[in-house]
Amino acid sequence: MRTTVKTAAVTLAAACALLLSGCGGSGGSDASGPGSGSGPAADVSTAPSQPGTLLDTPFNKPQLHLTDNQGKPFDLVKQTAGHPVLLFFGYTHCPDVCPTTMSDIALAKSKLPAADQAKLQVVFVTTDPDRDTPARLTEWLGAMDKSFIGLTGDFTTIQNAARSVGVGIAPPVKEKDGSITVTHGAEVLAFWPKDDKAHVLYMSGTTAQQYAHDLPKLIRSEAP
């Protein structure tokens, strides 16, 4: 499997401290992949010193209409309105960043009181829609948390939505050796329920313990 983890860092004044991760679909070695974000690229090797970064300018929730993992139409803005939301763009054949991120979020969520667990919506938008069918998303996400929402559909629609919140993704590329490289942002955006805007950005490497510390504050629309 071919994998790359990159960051595209932009100043907090611009409200975009972003990560780019390129992950291979099959094979074994690490490799670099092009990003579609802006700003200088830098390797990511350690967890952030603090869990979340408070954005100077919150992002509006993307106007995104896709198909969920139950095969039903899903309007992201409408169907997550008034809920605390964690949004991540990735894909199920990812060897490292995606399963680690979603597993850490699932573990953190499991530590919340039942009432708070019911409020939190975790949304996983695939960057590899050709392979990530609703059935595949249900199987993959269900192994972590059956309440997680998986979305798939038209790649251009997904890419435009990702860009609207500063996440760079690129179309999957089939390599000469048959592996597939998928380049996508590795950050998690946290939307507060009071205004449905993303106020907090979590970098790749944020631990389950760090998410667990912050989730109660997210549910109350408070800064980490």
Side-chain angles (χ1 to χ4, degrees), residues 3 13 27 30 50 82 182 192 194 204 206:
T3 289
D30 289 345
Q50 58 185 17
V182 180
W192 288 0
K194 71 176 182 180
S204 176
T206 301

Side-chain angles (χ1 to χ4, degrees), residues 7 9 14-15 30 44 50 54-57 66-67 80 92 101 103 107 117-118 124 155 161 164 167 170 195 210 222:
T7 68
D30 289 345
V44 177
Q50 58 185 17
L54 190 65
L55 298 175
D56 291 342
T57 304
L66 293 171
T67 300
T80 63
T92 67
T101 298
S103 293
L107 179 58
Q117 289 191 44
F124 178 91
F155 179 83
S164 77
V167 178
D195 61 4
Q210 290 171 327
E222 296 176 0

Side-chain angles (χ1 to χ4, degrees), residues 26-223:
S26 60
S29 62
D30 289 345
S32 296
S36 58
S38 61
D43 289 333
V44 177
S45 59
T46 59
S49 58
Q50 58 185 17
T53 299
L54 190 65
L55 298 175
D56 291 342
T57 304
F59 287 113
N60 291 320
K61 197 171 289 179
Q63 295 286 341
L64 192 55
H65 298 81
L66 293 171
T67 300
D68 69 15
N69 53 299
Q70 303 303 318
K72 298 178 180 179
F74 193 92
D75 181 331
L76 182 66
V77 171
K78 181 178 179 180
Q79 292 180 243
T80 63
H83 285 270
V85 175
L86 294 179
L87 178 66
F88 181 74
F89 292 84
Y91 70 115
T92 67
H93 291 84
C94 177
D96 38 39
V97 175
C98 303
T100 299
T101 298
M102 299 307 291
S103 293
D104 285 342
I105 291 173
L107 179 58
K109 178 176 173 286
S110 72
K111 298 180 182 300
L112 291 170
D116 284 348
Q117 289 191 44
K119 295 175 184 176
L120 180 65
Q121 291 185 317
V122 179
V123 181
F124 178 91
V125 182
T126 182
T127 56
D128 185 16
D130 286 346
R131 291 189 292 173
D132 284 344
T133 63
R136 169 70 183 178
L137 288 168
T138 294
E139 178 184 11
W140 191 79
L141 291 171
M144 303 173 201
D145 187 309
K146 294 185 184 302
S147 74
F148 284 1
I149 300 165
L151 300 180
T152 188
D154 175 68
F155 179 83
T156 300
T157 299
I158 293 169
Q159 185 178 50
N160 289 339
R163 285 174 174 169
S164 77
V165 290
V167 178
I169 67 175
V173 176
K174 188 171 183 178
E175 307 292 350
K176 292 181 180 179
D177 62 2
S179 65
I180 296 175
T181 298
V182 180
T183 301
H184 65 91
E187 64 273 35
V188 174
L189 291 154
F191 292 82
W192 288 0
K194 71 176 182 180
D195 61 4
D196 288 325
K197 292 186 177 183
H199 288 263
V200 185
L201 179 76
Y202 292 95
M203 299 293 196
S204 176
T206 301
T207 66
Q209 292 77 15
Q210 290 171 327
Y211 281 120
H213 175 271
D214 278 15
L215 286 182
K217 297 180 180 180
L218 166 63
I219 290 168
R220 298 192 299 268
S221 295
E222 296 176 0

